[in-house]
Amino acid sequence: MTISAMASSSSGRRGATRQKVFEAAVALIAEQGFSATTVDEIAERAGVAKGTVYYNFASKSVLFEELLRHGVALLTASLSGAAEESARAGGSQVDALDAMIGAGLGFIERYPAITTMYVSELWRANNDWTGVLRVVRQDAVAVVEKVLAAGVASGEFSGEMDVPLTASAMIGMVLVVALDWRTFQPDRSLADVHAALSLLLQGRVATRR
């Protein structure tokens, strides 16, 4: 095996290990919170040695920050992709927002533990993650703000709209409704929940003609 092949193999193994640690940490933190989760528990859940966790992440705090950034980056990419696909199909800005609602619900259905972890820490008073949470939250909100601002500029949405606050409200609505759905109404389909939020969007965001 060549040196480059060995390096590639080593990088692949480390990536797989980090992913296992990520998944274990997300599940545990979603279940019991950051403070109550220990590195020993993360290592046991991931099936690796405690030293392996520290080899890949300098501390539990560093691991959690990376988890937050990774999870919200996935959500942001889903929202952006949905908006771009809607635009390519010739949809309106309301269509783009509706597509992002669907993408957000789909993300939460695929990654419920990431969402639970993010929301629990986002609204936990006096946590250590305010700075990181502010940054990653703004990344997701900015995607929605862009569509809302375009709708205001085109006249599709009311010029009186508070774009930043409306964008935050939409993100919060999707997160809270989705968590309620997954926890208390799991028998409802994603399409059913999406349809209900679509009606709310059409009635409250679009300019009445």
Side-chain angles (χ1 to χ4, degrees):
M1 181 181 292
T2 65
I3 292 178
S4 62
M6 291 174 62
S8 177
S9 176
S10 176
S11 176
R13 286 196 300 272
R14 186 178 184 193
T17 298
R18 287 171 66 88
Q19 184 63 32
K20 288 199 299 184
V21 172
F22 265 161
E23 292 173 357
V26 166
L28 285 166
I29 292 169
E31 290 168 11
Q32 58 194 33
F34 173 79
S35 298
T37 299
T38 67
V39 173
D40 287 304
E41 289 174 319
I42 292 170
E44 181 179 2
R45 179 74 65 94
V48 301
K50 181 177 180 179
T52 300
V53 177
Y54 284 118
Y55 175 74
N56 285 277
F57 306 96
S59 67
K60 188 175 76 166
S61 294
V62 170
L63 168 58
F64 186 63
E65 286 190 16
E66 290 199 32
L67 281 174
L68 285 173
R69 294 182 189 279
H70 175 68
V72 180
L74 289 175
L75 172 59
T76 301
S78 294
L79 298 178
S80 295
E84 291 166 2
E85 184 175 346
S86 177
R88 285 194 296 270
S92 66
Q93 299 305 327
V94 170
D95 292 331
L97 291 175
D98 189 52
M100 285 195 287
I101 287 175
L105 293 172
F107 172 87
I108 293 164
E109 185 177 50
R110 290 194 301 275
Y111 305 107
I114 289 179
T115 307
T116 302
M117 179 191 74
Y118 171 70
V119 172
S120 65
E121 294 301 323
L122 181 65
W123 291 327
R124 191 188 305 278
N126 301 318
N127 64 57
D128 296 328
W129 318 110
T130 302
V132 175
L133 285 166
R134 181 180 294 115
V135 172
V136 297
R137 169 195 166 279
Q138 185 53 39
D139 287 344
V141 171
V143 177
V144 183
E145 286 183 352
K146 182 178 178 181
V147 173
L148 290 172
V152 170
S154 68
E156 188 175 344
F157 304 150
S158 170
E160 298 178 356
M161 175 184 290
D162 184 324
V163 169
L165 186 58
T166 302
S168 296
M170 287 196 61
I171 292 290
M173 175 185 70
V174 172
L175 289 173
V176 173
V177 169
L179 288 176
D180 182 89
W181 159 45
R182 301 296 295 169
T183 303
F184 300 111
Q185 305 178 67
D187 292 337
R188 300 188 69 164
S189 68
L190 186 153
D192 187 28
V193 177
H194 184 188
L197 293 185
S198 292
L199 287 176
L200 181 61
L201 170 69
Q202 295 286 345
R204 298 300 181 186
V205 177
T207 302
R208 294 188 183 280
R209 298 294 184 182

